[in-house]
Amino acid sequence: MLGFKGKLQTDGYSVYETYENNPDFILFSCWAHARRYFEQALDKDKQRGNFVLRQIQILYKIEESAKEQKLSDEKRQKWRQEHATPLLNTIKEFLDKNRESILPACAIGKAFGYAIIRWDKLIAYTFHAEVKIDHNFIENAIRPLALGMKNYLFAGSDKSAQRAAKVYSLFATCKLHGMNPCLLAAEQAGIRRVN
């Protein structure tokens, strides 16, 4: 993370905990990852798992509504505070009320533990309108890299692997910003497109 400062939204990978008290970062957790734990717990504790999943589904509907309304950042933050915060309070109360009656090692216990430990980072998106409720859009953007990982083990050399990583990063960034990297390269080279 050389030179990066700012907002960082992550899953529960423990490496990110090293940035917890670093003033250069504001950490956010991903609701999609929290939701997965509750989905995995449905077989063992359908009642509690379904309750939390229904609340999370409403959180996503709140986000969808804000997107449909094309709210500005300021209005989106107010929208979240008005609609998502009371629901988040309900989820937190439910987690706190039920946590003592659940074994931490069982599936629902792991779901509760995941959410409770990361609670402040799970609700932080409501204070930062530019941060999304989850980082699925990033995971989708890097999925081609993850799928091809075994192939990339055979880049030929360390330098080739580094060059490939730079090219893939460039392409993923261009795609994220709706840019065609080929047209961008041609423009940089002074080549004009002929129609």
Side-chain angles (χ1 to χ4, degrees), residues 165-178:
K166 289 176 184 176
V167 170
Y168 278 108
S169 293
L170 173 67
F171 283 173
T173 302
C174 286
K175 185 177 178 182
L176 190 63
H177 293 284

Side-chain angles (χ1 to χ4, degrees), residues 179-191:
M179 301 170 71
N180 182 331
C182 296
L183 294 178
L184 183 65
E187 186 179 300
Q188 293 293 319
I191 300 170

Side-chain angles (χ1 to χ4, degrees), residues 37-38 95 99 102-104 106-119 122:
Y37 279 88
F38 286 98
L95 295 174
R99 73 190 293 185
I102 297 172
L103 294 173
C106 70
I108 196 73
K110 288 178 183 175
F112 271 57
Y114 186 93
I116 290 168
I117 288 169
R118 291 165 184 80
W119 189 255
L122 281 168

Side-chain angles (χ1 to χ4, degrees), residues 124-188:
Y125 82 98
T126 62
F127 301 101
H128 299 268
E130 70 283 6
V131 175
K132 298 189 182 319
I133 192 170
D134 63 36
H135 60 74
N136 279 348
F137 67 102
I138 294 295
E139 288 196 353
N140 291 335
I142 64 170
R143 184 163 284 120
L145 293 175
L147 293 174
M149 234 181 267
K150 286 185 182 175
N151 295 330
Y152 307 142
L153 291 173
F154 306 101
S157 71
D158 287 347
K159 285 188 178 183
S160 293
Q162 289 173 354
R163 281 193 293 273
K166 289 176 184 176
V167 170
Y168 278 108
S169 293
L170 173 67
F171 283 173
T173 302
C174 286
K175 185 177 178 182
L176 190 63
H177 293 284
M179 301 170 71
N180 182 331
C182 296
L183 294 178
L184 183 65
E187 186 179 300
Q188 293 293 319

